[in-house]
mmCIF file of all heavy atoms in Angstrom:
data_model
loop_
_atom_site.group_PDB
_atom_site.id
_atom_site.type_symbol
_atom_site.label_atom_id
_atom_site.label_comp_id
_atom_site.label_asym_id
_atom_site.label_seq_id
_atom_site.Cartn_x
_atom_site.Cartn_y
_atom_site.Cartn_z
ATOM 1 N N GLU B 347 63.130 -25.833 -17.100
ATOM 2 C CA GLU B 347 62.708 -24.793 -18.014
ATOM 3 C C GLU B 347 62.907 -23.441 -17.349
ATOM 4 O O GLU B 347 63.169 -23.381 -16.187
ATOM 5 C CB GLU B 347 61.143 -25.064 -18.287
ATOM 6 C CG GLU B 347 60.827 -26.367 -18.859
ATOM 7 C CD GLU B 347 59.446 -26.498 -19.280
ATOM 8 O OE1 GLU B 347 58.556 -26.168 -18.496
ATOM 9 O OE2 GLU B 347 59.160 -27.018 -20.408
ATOM 10 N N PRO B 348 62.663 -22.337 -18.081
ATOM 11 C CA PRO B 348 62.777 -21.018 -17.478
ATOM 12 C C PRO B 348 62.147 -20.922 -16.147
ATOM 13 O O PRO B 348 60.969 -21.175 -16.039
ATOM 14 C CB PRO B 348 62.345 -20.094 -18.591
ATOM 15 C CG PRO B 348 62.640 -20.814 -19.815
ATOM 16 C CD PRO B 348 62.382 -22.261 -19.530
ATOM 17 N N GLY B 349 62.866 -20.389 -15.155
ATOM 18 C CA GLY B 349 62.215 -20.221 -13.815
ATOM 19 C C GLY B 349 62.133 -21.395 -12.926
ATOM 20 O O GLY B 349 61.864 -21.255 -11.724
ATOM 21 N N PHE B 350 62.606 -22.597 -13.481
ATOM 22 C CA PHE B 350 62.593 -23.750 -12.707
ATOM 23 C C PHE B 350 63.533 -23.590 -11.458
ATOM 24 O O PHE B 350 64.674 -23.288 -11.695
ATOM 25 C CB PHE B 350 62.907 -25.010 -13.597
ATOM 26 C CG PHE B 350 62.482 -26.233 -12.930
ATOM 27 C CD1 PHE B 350 61.435 -27.019 -13.418
ATOM 28 C CD2 PHE B 350 63.212 -26.880 -11.879
ATOM 29 C CE1 PHE B 350 61.090 -28.188 -12.826
ATOM 30 C CE2 PHE B 350 62.867 -28.098 -11.286
ATOM 31 C CZ PHE B 350 61.828 -28.766 -11.862
ATOM 32 N N PRO B 351 63.098 -23.885 -10.286
ATOM 33 C CA PRO B 351 64.045 -23.706 -9.143
ATOM 34 C C PRO B 351 65.025 -24.953 -9.023
ATOM 35 O O PRO B 351 64.588 -26.047 -8.933
ATOM 36 C CB PRO B 351 63.136 -23.634 -7.910
ATOM 37 C CG PRO B 351 61.739 -23.759 -8.444
ATOM 38 C CD PRO B 351 61.784 -24.253 -9.799
ATOM 39 N N VAL B 352 66.301 -24.549 -8.895
ATOM 40 C CA VAL B 352 67.332 -25.602 -8.687
ATOM 41 C C VAL B 352 68.138 -25.230 -7.416
ATOM 42 O O VAL B 352 68.679 -24.102 -7.322
ATOM 43 C CB VAL B 352 68.276 -25.704 -9.934
ATOM 44 C CG1 VAL B 352 69.455 -26.524 -9.483
ATOM 45 C CG2 VAL B 352 67.525 -26.104 -11.219
ATOM 46 N N LEU B 353 68.145 -26.042 -6.442
ATOM 47 C CA LEU B 353 68.830 -25.777 -5.172
ATOM 48 C C LEU B 353 70.133 -26.728 -5.295
ATOM 49 O O LEU B 353 70.082 -27.848 -5.892
ATOM 50 C CB LEU B 353 68.049 -26.167 -3.966
ATOM 51 C CG LEU B 353 66.601 -25.855 -3.950
ATOM 52 C CD1 LEU B 353 65.982 -26.290 -2.508
ATOM 53 C CD2 LEU B 353 66.468 -24.310 -3.994
ATOM 54 N N ALA B 354 71.320 -26.267 -4.814
ATOM 55 C CA ALA B 354 72.451 -26.999 -4.848
ATOM 56 C C ALA B 354 73.346 -26.846 -3.665
ATOM 57 O O ALA B 354 73.440 -25.737 -3.091
ATOM 58 C CB ALA B 354 73.313 -26.739 -6.133
ATOM 59 N N VAL B 355 73.994 -27.882 -3.197
ATOM 60 C CA VAL B 355 75.029 -27.829 -2.189
ATOM 61 C C VAL B 355 76.338 -27.922 -2.959
ATOM 62 O O VAL B 355 76.689 -28.956 -3.487
ATOM 63 C CB VAL B 355 74.929 -29.039 -1.200
ATOM 64 C CG1 VAL B 355 75.726 -28.688 0.119
ATOM 65 C CG2 VAL B 355 73.569 -29.356 -0.869
ATOM 66 N N ALA B 356 77.073 -26.853 -2.949
ATOM 67 C CA ALA B 356 78.317 -26.909 -3.860
ATOM 68 C C ALA B 356 79.450 -26.226 -3.111
ATOM 69 O O ALA B 356 79.774 -25.051 -3.411
ATOM 70 C CB ALA B 356 77.961 -26.016 -5.133
ATOM 71 N N PRO B 357 80.024 -26.929 -2.217
ATOM 72 C CA PRO B 357 81.248 -26.396 -1.520
ATOM 73 C C PRO B 357 82.510 -26.357 -2.336
ATOM 74 O O PRO B 357 82.460 -26.787 -3.527
ATOM 75 C CB PRO B 357 81.444 -27.499 -0.334
ATOM 76 C CG PRO B 357 80.897 -28.756 -0.955
ATOM 77 C CD PRO B 357 79.772 -28.366 -1.828
ATOM 78 N N ALA B 358 83.478 -25.726 -1.770
ATOM 79 C CA ALA B 358 84.747 -25.467 -2.493
ATOM 80 C C ALA B 358 85.451 -26.735 -2.940
ATOM 81 O O ALA B 358 86.116 -26.735 -4.019
ATOM 82 C CB ALA B 358 85.654 -24.540 -1.673
ATOM 83 N N GLY B 359 85.291 -27.780 -2.243
ATOM 84 C CA GLY B 359 86.101 -28.931 -2.546
ATOM 85 C C GLY B 359 85.708 -29.819 -3.703
ATOM 86 O O GLY B 359 84.976 -29.252 -4.588
#
Side-chain angles (χ1 to χ4, degrees):
Chain B
E347 301 189 315
F350 197 103
V352 173
L353 315 180
V355 196

